[in-house]
Amino acid sequence: MTAVPLLQTSPAPHKVVTQESPWARWTLILLALSFLSLFLLLPLVAVFFEALRKGWEVYLAAITEPDALAAIRLTLIAAAIAVPLNLIFGIAAAWAIAKFEFRGKSILTSLIDLPFSVSPVVAGLIYVLIFGLQGWIGPWLREHDLSIIFAVPGIVLATIFVTVPFIARELIPLMQAQGSEEEEAAIILGASGWQTLWYVTLPNIKWGLLYGTILCNARAMGEFGAVSVVSGHIRGLTNTLSLHVEILYNEYNFVAAFAVASLLALLALITLVLKTLVEAKVAQQTSRGNHS
Amino acid sequence: MTIEIHDLSKQFGSFTALNDINLKVNPGELLALLGPSGSGKTTLLRVIAGLETADSGQVLFNEEDSTDKHIRDRHVGFVFQHYALFRNMTIFENVAFGLRVRPRKQRPNAPEINHRVTELLQLVQLDWLADRYPHQLSGGQRQRIALARALAVEPSVLLLDEPFGALDAKVRKELRAWLRKLHDDMHITSVFVTHDQEEALEVADRIVVMNRGRIEQIGTPDEVYEKPANPFVYEFLGHVNLFHGRVHQGHAWIGDLEVDAPEYSEAEDLSAIAYVRPHDIEVDRTLNGEPALAAHIVHILAIGPVVRLELAGKDNQSTNSIYAEISKERFRELQLARGDQVFIKPRKLDLFPNHAQNGSIH
């Protein structure tokens, strides 16, 4: 189709009431840009600058030494367990909240938000209180030779706790906006519950799900506070990437610290790009087919 | 397929959506559930479909109790007000869905599905849209696809929830006629919900008028329009004039007008309301011996073959303006103008003694 303007009005400058004067506009833009560069862009550049200060070889050595590799591996393991679990939980919780009415629904909604409102350090401490040596079930765990605190399971638990809201929070408004008529239609047409989930519900939320997963993954890999409490900082064993950065920094090994930090920064940049790409798709999916 | 509904009731919290509903839908009939919003018509339809469960009562399909039957086993086709097409599927996939989700043994093979879907798309005259997505279609097209999708599984009952409610007036009229024709061709037992009395009168074989969770009247369009069972049905179906009067020993008085009311020969000075349709009001310039009510013309709307007069009564027999509809010939003959004094008398009038003006209808 060719776009031909239907009404070519005379070039009289028509002023929109919400339009600010150029002076005001540029001041605002400049203010926002300088704030962003100072507080976001500058640190980001600094990370890569410091990391590469002594050249590529030192950089590569810092991120390939055994302890760093162990930290990368642990971070990946924690994310690989936490993200799929939250994926399943997020879909189940969002499905329940968006499509059904039940007693205690508002409590469930608040519980999902809890990790957002509780300090991660407190979250970590709760796990120490429960599973630690002096904790509620600590003695029982020790008798059976199981260790959760200061070990990988504790790190996974803490990671799951802080990332619980991401996927559910993303899906609930999307599913609420879409309503449950399509599911009703599918069931009337003879589809089973699983067929309805697989062919109707999941395709309708796929972009929102991906968006939530990206955010969830970013948080899972970058989490510091909660993990720091339960980890015990055993090099090569219970150190995640962010904990490893801290240790290196405390040892005045700045170049290595920044080198490892640059990996996290890189992850953030990739997340940002993916997020932007997916965001447009989410908006499209929400608006489409809504009685338009 | 016969649908029988026995003593069906349903509460939503303190709100009574359905109050002891009894209804029989005959095989091959197109039945309309008509009522204002909140009258329980959609709830009734959803209970028949199995999308809601009633608190008490039964739904029988061919004399078989299906109260506890799962939706999947009821073999109903359902058309939603907002279409509820699967937005992530093409039109073809939407219509094929019901066939593709069948258990492997009952599932038709791909060429059969292909054939059946194409056939249905031709039936709704939209086979050229097979590869599009729902959001690329207009409202009227979407609703026709929704109908094709519902018919794909060869349902024994077709249920439609305000099928034309979201469409604009012109498309609605077209689809109405089209649905009527489709039903005449297929003869599938169908129930549709509407709040539009014109739609119900035009399309349905029989109309069930509902209000506040109860059935007010069941009858053919002609019956409910010509012989409304009570004031609610009268006011809900078409324009009507309301008069206040009294009934006494077989006679009714509305102002100076006396009418015979033999069915109320036992009545002893009861207050009553009377309904007269605008086209049942006779207008004359003079009193020719017969009793009539004096009124004067407030407004004249003379577009089309019918002239609509807005009149104000002399006394307070009618709280609102009185509307009368006369033919253009009669209008010319009388040479009426705004402000003229006229005499009106009802050709046909329905009395309901002891009813308050509006409200407490039961």
Side-chain angles (χ1 to χ4, degrees), chain B residues 105-332:
Chain B
K105 278 180 202 155
Q106 301 161 32
R107 195 187 308 158
N109 61 29
E112 277 166 13
I113 291 179
N114 217 327
H115 177 73
R116 177 102 186 98
V117 172
T118 312
E119 208 174 64
L120 279 160
L121 286 176
Q122 278 163 358
L123 178 75
V124 299
Q125 297 149 18
L126 291 175
D127 46 328
W128 50 286
L129 289 174
D131 297 327
R132 305 273 181 94
Y133 281 88
H135 68 97
Q136 296 169 308
L137 270 59
S138 73
Q141 290 171 336
R142 283 189 224 184
Q143 198 57 298
R144 282 193 275 166
I145 295 301
L147 195 66
R149 183 180 67 174
L151 292 173
V153 292
E154 290 170 331
S156 38
V157 173
L158 187 62
L159 305 171
L160 306 103
D161 182 14
E162 303 241 8
F164 314 129
L167 303 171
D168 62 68
K170 188 168 172 287
V171 179
R172 199 184 312 182
K173 265 197 140 53
E174 285 169 12
L175 276 191
R176 232 187 256 169
W178 180 80
L179 175 70
R180 179 70 245 181
K181 196 181 161 298
L182 190 80
H183 181 265
D184 290 345
D185 293 345
M186 303 190 50
H187 275 299
I188 177 171
T189 309
S190 311
V191 180
F192 80 101
V193 159
T194 181
H195 62 263
D196 182 347
Q197 32 107 352
E198 203 184 309
E199 190 169 292
L201 291 170
E202 206 174 292
V203 178
D205 293 322
R206 281 198 307 154
I207 297 177
V208 177
V209 185
M210 294 186 68
N211 181 36
R212 298 184 192 179
R214 288 178 176 278
I215 292 178
E216 298 281 354
Q217 189 175 4
I218 305 175
T220 63
D222 197 47
E223 277 164 10
V224 293
Y225 188 81
E226 292 298 334
K227 291 188 173 31
N230 56 41
F232 174 81
V233 181
Y234 231 117
E235 292 195 19
F236 196 72
L237 281 158
H239 296 288
V240 73
N241 291 301
L242 173 71
F243 295 92
H244 293 276
R246 308 201 75 75
V247 193
H248 183 64
Q249 292 181 347
H251 294 274
W253 283 268
I254 294 157
D256 300 333
L257 186 75
E258 190 193 334
V259 208
D260 286 340
E263 64 270 40
Y264 298 111
S265 57
E266 310 277 285
E268 290 290 336
D269 197 27
L270 290 175
S271 68
I273 52 174
Y275 288 103
V276 186
R277 300 261 186 228
H279 52 80
D280 282 330
I281 288 185
E282 256 172 60
V283 181
D284 222 324
R285 272 195 173 280
T286 52
L287 262 180
N288 31 23
E290 287 173 55
L293 293 171
H296 68 268
I297 298 173
V298 180
H299 189 73
I300 298 172
L301 185 70
I303 296 168
V306 171
V307 179
R308 201 168 146 80
L309 304 173
E310 186 183 340
L311 307 157
K314 274 272 184 285
D315 318 312
N316 290 333
Q317 314 97 349
S318 175
T319 14
N320 305 314
S321 301
I322 304 165
Y323 292 95
E325 283 169 9
I326 57 173
S327 67
K328 201 135 209 170
E329 294 81 56
R330 180 79 180 138
F331 176 71
R332 289 212 190 90

Side-chain angles (χ1 to χ4, degrees), chain A residues 160-214:
Chain A
I160 290 174
F161 181 89
V162 294
T163 52
V164 154
F166 287 93
I167 292 174
R169 270 278 129 208
E170 186 57 39
L171 291 185
I172 290 167
L174 182 65
M175 284 174 133
Q176 274 171 340
Q178 291 180 346
S180 38
E181 276 198 342
E182 285 182 46
E183 280 83 3
E184 286 180 347
I187 287 168
I188 289 178
L189 287 169
S192 68
W194 287 112
Q195 284 173 321
T196 307
L197 178 72
W198 193 251
Y199 294 118
V200 178
T201 308
L202 285 184
N204 279 355
I205 57 167
K206 63 181 178 217
W207 291 111
L209 196 62
L210 183 59
Y211 184 79
T213 309
I214 291 167

Side-chain angles (χ1 to χ4, degrees), chain A residues 107-119 123 126 161 164-165:
Chain A
I107 298 175
L108 180 59
T109 316
S110 320
L111 269 179
I112 289 173
D113 279 344
L114 188 71
F116 273 160
S117 49
V118 168
S119 156
I126 292 167
F161 181 89
V164 154

Side-chain angles (χ1 to χ4, degrees), chain A residues 26-212:
Chain A
W26 283 111
T27 312
L28 286 172
I29 291 170
L30 211 68
L31 213 66
L33 277 181
S34 44
F35 185 89
L36 282 178
S37 347
L38 195 66
F39 289 95
L40 292 174
L41 213 58
L42 198 65
L44 195 64
V45 173
V47 166
F48 288 99
F49 180 77
E50 289 292 330
L52 294 167
R53 197 204 266 282
K54 293 192 178 159
W56 270 107
E57 272 160 45
V58 182
Y59 178 82
L60 281 177
I63 58 172
T64 50
E65 57 122 349
D67 285 350
L69 284 178
I72 293 172
R73 199 177 311 125
L74 182 58
T75 301
L76 290 177
I77 288 171
I81 298 172
V83 173
L85 281 179
N86 275 327
L87 200 71
I88 294 165
F89 170 78
I91 294 171
W95 172 289
I97 288 171
K99 314 257 172 178
F100 297 97
E101 288 302 324
F102 54 91
R103 214 178 281 258
K105 185 165 151 172
S106 58
I107 298 175
L108 180 59
T109 316
S110 320
L111 269 179
I112 289 173
D113 279 344
L114 188 71
F116 273 160
S117 49
V118 168
S119 156
V121 176
V122 175
L125 278 174
I126 292 167
Y127 283 117
V128 172
L129 280 175
I130 298 172
F131 300 112
L133 278 184
Q134 270 72 45
W136 294 351
I137 55 172
W140 184 86
L141 285 172
R142 201 161 71 157
E143 270 172 39
H144 293 79
D145 215 16
L146 297 167
S147 49
I148 289 181
I149 300 304
F150 304 148
V152 176
I155 290 170
V156 173
L157 277 177
T159 308
I160 290 174
F161 181 89
V162 294
T163 52
V164 154
F166 287 93
I167 292 174
R169 270 278 129 208
E170 186 57 39
L171 291 185
I172 290 167
L174 182 65
M175 284 174 133
Q176 274 171 340
Q178 291 180 346
S180 38
E181 276 198 342
E182 285 182 46
E183 280 83 3
E184 286 180 347
I187 287 168
I188 289 178
L189 287 169
S192 68
W194 287 112
Q195 284 173 321
T196 307
L197 178 72
W198 193 251
Y199 294 118
V200 178
T201 308
L202 285 184
N204 279 355
I205 57 167
K206 63 181 178 217
W207 291 111
L209 196 62
L210 183 59
Y211 184 79

Side-chain angles (χ1 to χ4, degrees), chain A residues 178 181-193 195-196 199-200 203-204 285-286 288-292, chain B residues 46 49 51 70-72 76-78 80 82-89 97-98 100-101 135 142 149-150 153:
Chain A
Q178 291 180 346
E181 276 198 342
E182 285 182 46
E183 280 83 3
E184 286 180 347
I187 287 168
I188 289 178
L189 287 169
S192 68
Q195 284 173 321
T196 307
Y199 294 118
V200 178
N204 279 355
Q285 201 163 47
T286 314
R288 234 177 230 185
N290 269 349
H291 325 326
S292 52
Chain B
R46 289 174 64 89
L51 288 169
H70 193 272
I71 310 174
R72 274 193 292 278
V76 298
F78 201 98
F80 292 82
H82 296 294
Y83 333 119
L85 293 178
F86 305 127
R87 68 192 82 189
N88 65 297
M89 297 181 205
F97 185 84
R100 285 179 175 169
V101 295
H135 68 97
R142 283 189 224 184
R149 183 180 67 174
V153 292

